[in-house]
């Protein structure tokens, strides 16, 4: 819930040929603006949440609770936000500590007994920093980021948790400090928080929880150059438009073709429902982009075509919090 200020013109009239005056008889500005407080309610929807949640949401049932919280009545507005596509106004309240968990609440006993791995990453700006749960595998580690690993310790019928904050050797100091703060303040059910720095003899329990130590990426240079473009002819003509740096998996629309530049590769992602024109012109656009970058920087990039549902690990790692695509609804003809 957020309170913000809405600006509206002050209502009033003035006599023709006379100056506007206030209640004390003093001259005032006829165009003076009045500030009216408005309460904003954000409805956040996770990637795996049912689509019927929003239609079933009733703002009226929350009004009394909202009025009791803020101490008075005022206009209320609501806004629907999707996971990793949140309004920056919503993210600003979390100050880089926006945590996204997988699964449902409350968790089942099976889920509680599993280790959980979170990646902390900024996409273009500190406001776009999120702590997102990812697959629990050391393959997904990267020296350029920081991670949080929550490990359950079962003793008889009691479960306690150890939290490891893993700091990549090439991660920034700001990201490190922010991740440590998230680890210490964002998880209330943990008994111990340990800070681990990459390459400083991480304990066996850490690697065992990640399925064993495997070879992982040692740099995140792609974050400095990564760009995502959408190729579409939905308006009756073919166009290529760039997405903002804070993009996610859900920006890959099945009706379009996308171009993703990682600095080493140029990927052409093809949605299953994209048209032949979008596929042909999307590939041609990627080839022109590839040549343009090479002429501009002198560096060549490998061109690859990726189809929806068959993304490689190299492609997936470029996205924060990659998960399963939602099943498409079948429409009857």
């Amino acid at each position: 819930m957020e309170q913000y200020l809405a600006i509206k013109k002050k209502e009033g009239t003035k006599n023709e040929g006379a100056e506007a005056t206030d209640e004390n008889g003093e001259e005032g500005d006829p165009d003076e603006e009045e500030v009216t407080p408005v309460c904003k309610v954000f409805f956040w929807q996770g990637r795996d949440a049912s689509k019927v949640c929003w239609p079933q949401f009733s703002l009226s049932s929350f009004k009394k609770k909202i009025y009791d919280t803020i101490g008075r009545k005022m206009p209320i507005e609501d806004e629907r936000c999707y996971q990793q596509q949140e309004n920056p106004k919503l993210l600003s309240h979390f100050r880089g500590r926006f945590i996204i968990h997988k699964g449902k609440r409350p968790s089942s006993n099976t889920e509680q007994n599993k280790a959980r791995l979170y990646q902390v990453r900024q996409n273009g700006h500190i406001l776009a920093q999120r702590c997102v749960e990812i697959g629990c595998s050391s393959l997904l580690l990267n020296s350029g980021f920081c991670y949080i690993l929550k490990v359950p310790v079962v003793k008889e019928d009691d479960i306690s948790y150890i939290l490891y904050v893993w700091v990549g050797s090439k991660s920034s100091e700001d990201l490190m400090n922010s991740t440590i703060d998230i680890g210490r303040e964002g998880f209330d059910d943990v008994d111990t928080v340990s800070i681990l720095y990459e390459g400083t003899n991480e304990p066996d329990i850490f690697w065992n929880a990640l399925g064993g130590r495997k070879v992982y990426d040692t740099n995140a240079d792609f974050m400095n150059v990564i760009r995502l473009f959408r190729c579409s002819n939905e308006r009756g003509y073919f166009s290529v438009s760039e997405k903002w740096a804070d993009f996610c998996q859900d920006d890959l629309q099945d009706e379009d073709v996308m171009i993703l530049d990682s600095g080493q590769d140029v990927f052409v992602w093809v949605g299953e429902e994209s048209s032949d024109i979008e596929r042909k012109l999307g590939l041609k656009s990627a080839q022109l982009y590839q040549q343009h970058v090479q002429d501009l920087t002198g560096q060549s990039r490998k061109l690859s075509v990726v189809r929806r549902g068959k993304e490689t690990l190299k492609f997936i790692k470029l996205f924060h919090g990659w998960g399963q695509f939602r099943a498409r609804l079948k429409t009857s003809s």
Side-chain angles (χ1 to χ4, degrees), residues 296-319:
L296 195 64
T297 65
Q299 300 176 350
S300 60
R301 285 164 165 76
K302 181 181 177 181
L303 184 63
S304 303
V305 177
V306 179
R307 296 188 178 276
R308 182 190 187 277
K310 298 182 179 180
E311 295 82 4
T312 62
L313 184 59
K314 190 175 185 179
F315 180 87
I316 289 174
K317 288 181 178 179
L318 301 175
F319 292 82

Side-chain angles (χ1 to χ4, degrees), residues 34 45 199 261 287 327:
E34 180 180 329
Q45 182 168 325
D261 179 11
Q287 292 170 338

Side-chain angles (χ1 to χ4, degrees), residues 14-225:
K14 68 175 183 177
N15 295 329
E16 184 177 354
E19 296 291 337
T21 59
D22 61 16
E23 59 183 3
N24 296 323
E26 298 179 357
E27 293 185 1
D29 185 355
D31 293 328
E32 181 183 356
E33 294 176 335
E34 180 180 329
V35 178
T36 302
V38 177
C39 180
K40 185 82 174 242
V41 177
F42 289 100
F43 181 93
W44 185 87
Q45 182 168 325
R47 177 176 294 126
D48 299 329
S50 171
K51 291 185 177 181
V52 302
C53 294
W54 173 250
Q56 292 178 348
F57 173 70
S58 174
L59 181 61
S60 60
S61 61
F62 286 88
K63 283 187 176 181
K64 185 179 185 304
K65 184 175 182 180
I66 293 171
Y67 293 151
D68 291 341
T69 301
I70 61 182
R72 57 172 170 162
K73 293 185 177 182
M74 62 175 62
I76 299 178
E77 296 179 358
D78 60 329
E79 178 180 333
R80 185 184 191 182
C81 290
Y82 295 94
Q83 177 177 332
Q84 293 178 263
Q85 296 176 321
E86 298 88 0
N87 187 323
K89 290 182 179 180
L90 171 62
L91 294 176
S92 66
H93 289 280
F94 294 86
R95 301 179 181 179
R97 301 177 184 178
F98 196 84
I99 305 175
I100 301 177
H101 306 276
K102 285 186 177 180
K104 300 179 179 180
R105 184 166 42 184
S107 303
S108 63
N109 291 333
T110 303
E111 292 294 326
Q112 292 177 356
N113 291 334
K114 289 183 178 180
R116 313 184 78 164
L117 180 65
Y118 300 79
Q119 182 189 41
V120 182
R121 171 171 162 176
Q122 294 179 9
N123 292 332
H125 193 273
I126 181 63
L127 284 181
Q129 176 175 291
R130 302 175 181 85
C131 177
V132 182
E133 184 176 355
I134 60 176
C136 197
S137 171
S138 58
L139 282 172
L140 300 180
L141 296 178
N142 187 307
S143 302
F145 300 113
C146 296
Y147 297 79
I148 294 175
L149 178 64
K150 184 179 178 182
V151 182
V153 179
V154 181
K155 294 181 180 179
E156 296 180 353
D157 295 333
D158 186 34
I159 299 178
S160 59
Y161 296 94
I162 300 176
L163 200 73
Y164 293 103
V165 176
W166 189 82
V167 180
S169 59
K170 296 181 181 179
S171 61
S172 67
E173 183 176 355
D174 288 342
L175 187 64
M176 175 190 70
N177 293 332
S178 181
T179 305
I180 292 175
D181 289 342
I182 294 173
R184 288 174 174 170
E185 301 177 11
F187 297 82
D188 298 331
D189 57 346
V190 299
D191 297 327
T192 305
V193 177
S194 298
I195 313 300
L196 304 177
Y197 296 91
E198 181 184 4
T200 56
N201 298 322
E202 296 91 337
D204 290 339
I205 187 175
F206 175 82
W207 295 116
N208 291 338
L210 294 175
R213 186 167 187 167
K214 302 180 179 68
V215 178
Y216 55 81
D217 293 336
T218 56
N219 71 77
D221 293 341
F222 64 87
M223 290 295 293
N224 299 322
V225 297

